[in-house]
Amino acid sequence: MITAMARDEAARGGAAPTDAELQRYYQDHYAEFHRQDQLRLGQIVCADRRKATKAATEAREADESGFRAIVEKYSEDGVTKAVGGSLGWVDRMSDKLPVPVRSAIAAMFDKGEVAGPVESNGKFYVLKLFEVRPGFSRAFTEVREAIRVRLARQAEQTWLDKMAADLRAKTKVEVDEKAIQDIVAKGGTPSAGPGAARGGAAP
């Protein structure tokens, strides 16, 4: 009941977030409200174009399990070869991939699609798309109320934490050392009984 009353008081005492604060939160947390498509890809990397072309031809007919076998057969990239050619989840503009590879996957949309060979820095990449996780973009007007509620709750919690800290600062506990020593001497255990400690609000 006390907590409920405190929360009511916190809600009344806290100023409602302004529209500028809501806009600032939206901009500062842009990635929370916008995400590009995520692609789960596999790759085969070869030093020879003809070898990469053969790998691409076989990859077009293979399922995911078959693709791993093709990776084992052709790929010369030790890191991804060890995990069946998996690149994990990447977005179309991931800076972890060479620019020509990014350009290739930017045009990949259909599950099972194969791109390549794509040349970059003397290597030839074959890419296969296994899964697409669609992205999203939420306008400020769409999420404004949710942001307002979130900021209001944060302000409420800040108020409650401050109130609790103020109460702790105003409350002192006096320990009766003699009473504790007497109990210990008698083989007892100190307790919170009368005489052992006295608490109260500081004047």
Side-chain angles (χ1 to χ4, degrees), residues 5 13 22 29 34 39-40 75 111 131 137 146 157 164 189-190:
M5 292 174 61
L22 300 181
H29 298 79
H34 305 270
L39 312 179
R40 189 166 65 84
S75 189
K111 181 178 178 180
E131 193 174 352
S137 181
Q157 188 59 52
T189 301

Side-chain angles (χ1 to χ4, degrees), residues 12 14 35 40 55 60 65 75 82 96-97 114 118 130-131 163 167 169-171 187 197 202-203:
R12 290 193 301 271
R35 190 184 71 196
R40 189 166 65 84
R60 288 185 175 89
S65 176
S75 189
K96 297 178 181 178
L97 302 172
V114 172
V118 178
F130 295 117
E131 193 174 352
M163 183 182 72
L167 286 173
K170 292 176 181 178
T171 303

Side-chain angles (χ1 to χ4, degrees), residues 15-83:
T18 65
D19 200 62
E21 290 172 329
L22 300 181
Q23 288 273 10
R24 184 163 56 251
Y25 183 95
Y26 179 78
Q27 294 298 331
D28 290 346
H29 298 79
Y30 188 87
E32 182 179 342
F33 307 110
H34 305 270
R35 190 184 71 196
Q36 296 183 34
D37 290 350
Q38 300 289 302
L39 312 179
R40 189 166 65 84
L41 294 161
Q43 77 168 8
I44 299 167
V45 184
C46 303
D48 179 76
R49 181 185 288 276
R50 285 177 297 179
K51 185 177 179 182
T53 300
K54 289 181 181 180
T57 299
E58 294 182 26
R60 288 185 175 89
E61 304 300 323
D63 59 12
E64 191 164 350
S65 176
F67 182 82
R68 287 194 290 269
I70 298 168
V71 170
E72 185 63 31
K73 180 180 178 181
Y74 290 106
S75 189
E76 298 171 37
D77 179 68
V79 175
T80 54
K81 185 174 183 176
V83 290

